[in-house]
Amino acid sequence: QHKGARSPSASPCLQQKHARGQVLFDMVCEHLNLLEKDYFGLTFCDSDSQKNWLDPSKEIKKQIRSGPWNFAFTVKFYPPDPAQLTEDITRYYLCLQLRADIITGRLPCSFVTHALLGSYAVQAELGDYDAEEHVGNYVSDLRFAPNQTRELEERIMELHKTYRGMTPGEAEIHFLENAKKLSMYGVDLHHAKDSEGIDIMLGVCANGLLIYRDRLRINRFAWPKILKISYKRSNFYIKIRPGEYEQFESTIGFKLPNHRSAKRLWKVCIEHHTFFRLVSPEPPPKGFLVMGSKFRYSGRTQAQTRQASALIDRPAPFFERSSSKRYTMSRSLDG
């Protein structure tokens, strides 16, 4: 959730007219001391205020046609099992993203879960409860929920007192183990209409495509069930493998707000399918890729990044867990 903007003092790499997205992304990860970087990406907003992923393989200037170069460092692929991440620092950045997701309401939680996750965040940030230091409502300046109440803060403090001896890294592992069970964990939502013109949301995640109506999940298509995805103009299509008692494949269509949003959803699906399902990225135009499109996911897959993580050989990097009091969504990269 760190944002960075172009500046005159930026690295010479970025002053090259034709720098690709990968150059900027690598600089950001180096600044953050992050090696397990394949789960993350940079986003920017287009002229319609829609979130887009910066394509590492393309020149930055060809992706951002107008306006300032403002980027957000964000989790792109939420690991289904965060315990398999190798380094504490990677889990820390995932925790920061999830805390932002919770505060903004993107990741809905019950009161009980808000309290549990909040208490682990406090333990990671403030350490053991200290009766002399932690007096009164000592968590009131920290953010845990979109509509935070005094009742929630009191429950968080009760739980925090029971965690004596738990290290910040352990607290973050507990936080992630609970967060990953939430139904909206790692779901990238897109507005759409079904074949009858009813408003729905299409959610892309590690396991496949989810369909929501009025915030309730009404259907789920796992990646192995989907034979092909495509888009034409503002329509998005999935071809479904026949069921046990069915003879033919079926195609389901959805209407997106416009052509760009249909293409954006298609690309997010391609990337999630490749990252989570394949051992290595496939060259076009096989498999999921619609004929005629050159786009493919060019980064490492989850299988490849896990192999690379196993080879990380450095002392655990020291980093400061910044207090939520100072932590803002717009903290600058060079700040």
Side-chain angles (χ1 to χ4, degrees):
Q1 287 300 315
H2 304 257
K3 286 191 178 177
R6 185 174 52 169
S7 70
S9 59
S11 154
C13 300
L14 268 192
Q15 291 176 4
Q16 295 172 7
K17 272 186 173 178
H18 304 290
R20 296 179 186 272
Q22 190 70 48
V23 174
L24 177 60
F25 181 65
D26 287 344
M27 286 172 60
V28 171
C29 291
E30 188 179 342
H31 177 84
L32 297 174
N33 205 5
L34 179 68
L35 294 184
E36 295 177 282
K37 56 190 181 183
D38 303 288
Y39 297 96
F40 301 83
L42 295 176
T43 61
F44 63 92
C45 286
D46 59 22
S47 53
D48 301 329
S49 299
Q50 290 296 314
K51 184 184 86 173
N52 290 272
W53 291 101
L54 186 69
D55 188 331
S57 64
K58 289 185 179 173
E59 291 179 21
I60 300 173
K61 68 172 187 176
K62 288 187 177 174
Q63 299 181 64
I64 304 176
R65 300 290 182 185
S66 61
W69 285 18
N70 288 324
F71 301 99
F73 176 76
T74 313
V75 174
K76 185 171 193 176
F77 304 115
Y78 288 72
D81 186 5
Q84 292 194 340
L85 297 171
T86 296
E87 296 200 299
D88 271 355
I89 196 166
T90 317
R91 283 188 285 269
Y92 168 67
Y93 289 130
L94 177 57
C95 282
L96 282 187
Q97 176 69 63
L98 289 165
R99 288 174 66 179
D101 291 347
I102 290 166
I103 293 165
T104 56
R106 183 181 162 191
L107 186 57
C109 301
S110 66
F111 176 88
V112 171
T113 306
H114 272 308
L116 189 62
L117 295 177
S119 65
Y120 287 131
V122 170
Q123 181 69 18
E125 223 167 82
L126 304 183
D128 287 349
Y129 170 74
D130 182 331
E132 291 182 10
E133 189 182 343
H134 301 135
V135 292
N137 185 359
Y138 60 91
V139 302
S140 61
D141 286 341
L142 310 182
R143 306 316 305 153
F144 309 107
N147 302 306
Q148 196 160 309
T149 61
R150 179 64 193 254
E151 184 189 5
L152 175 65
E153 291 167 357
E154 284 174 355
R155 181 63 185 139
I156 285 170
M157 289 187 287
E158 284 173 25
L159 289 168
H160 176 221
K161 289 173 185 174
T162 67
Y163 296 154
R164 187 165 297 282
M166 186 186 292
T167 67
E170 288 167 347
E172 283 161 358
I173 287 172
H174 287 305
F175 179 100
L176 293 171
E177 284 300 301
N178 284 279
K180 75 176 188 186
K181 297 172 190 169
L182 294 167
S183 63
M184 296 301 291
Y185 172 83
V187 179
D188 188 350
L189 289 173
H190 299 252
H191 289 278
K193 291 182 187 292
D194 65 12
S195 56
E196 295 168 6
I198 295 170
D199 285 327
I200 57 167
M201 298 287 274
L202 297 175
V204 187
C205 68
N207 299 319
L209 193 65
L210 312 171
I211 302 176
Y212 300 87
R213 189 163 67 208
D214 298 330
R215 291 187 158 233
L216 292 174
R217 195 176 85 190
I218 57 171
N219 214 335
R220 172 181 177 268
F221 299 101
W223 292 129
K225 181 87 175 160
I226 302 175
L227 286 171
K228 183 180 176 182
I229 55 174
S230 58
Y231 71 96
K232 188 172 183 181
R233 293 188 284 275
S234 61
N235 297 304
F236 173 78
Y237 303 99
I238 55 173
K239 187 183 279 188
I240 305 298
R241 195 180 297 278
E244 197 176 343
Y245 303 108
E246 297 165 341
Q247 206 172 348
F248 304 106
E249 300 159 353
S250 58
T251 298
I252 304 173
F254 304 93
K255 186 88 172 170
L256 275 287
N258 52 48
H259 167 79
R260 288 171 73 182
S261 50
K263 183 177 183 180
R264 188 183 298 117
L265 170 60
W266 175 78
K267 287 175 83 167
V268 168
C269 286
I270 295 286
E271 293 179 326
H272 275 72
H273 173 263
T274 306
F275 184 81
F276 289 109
R277 293 287 300 170
L278 303 187
V279 175
S280 59
E282 55 186 21
K286 292 178 188 170
F288 257 46
L289 291 155
V290 71
M291 293 299 284
S293 172
K294 293 178 183 173
F295 175 77
R296 70 187 192 281
Y297 172 65
S298 57
R300 288 196 292 207
T301 64
Q302 181 174 240
Q304 290 171 325
T305 198
R306 281 179 177 170
Q307 286 175 339
S309 295
L311 301 175
I312 290 176
D313 182 24
R314 67 172 178 176
F318 172 79
F319 61 97
E320 198 172 328
R321 288 168 169 85
S322 60
S323 167
S324 295
K325 294 175 192 174
R326 300 189 302 274
Y327 164 69
T328 66
M329 300 290 280
S330 58
R331 184 174 148 192
S332 84
L333 266 178
D334 54 9

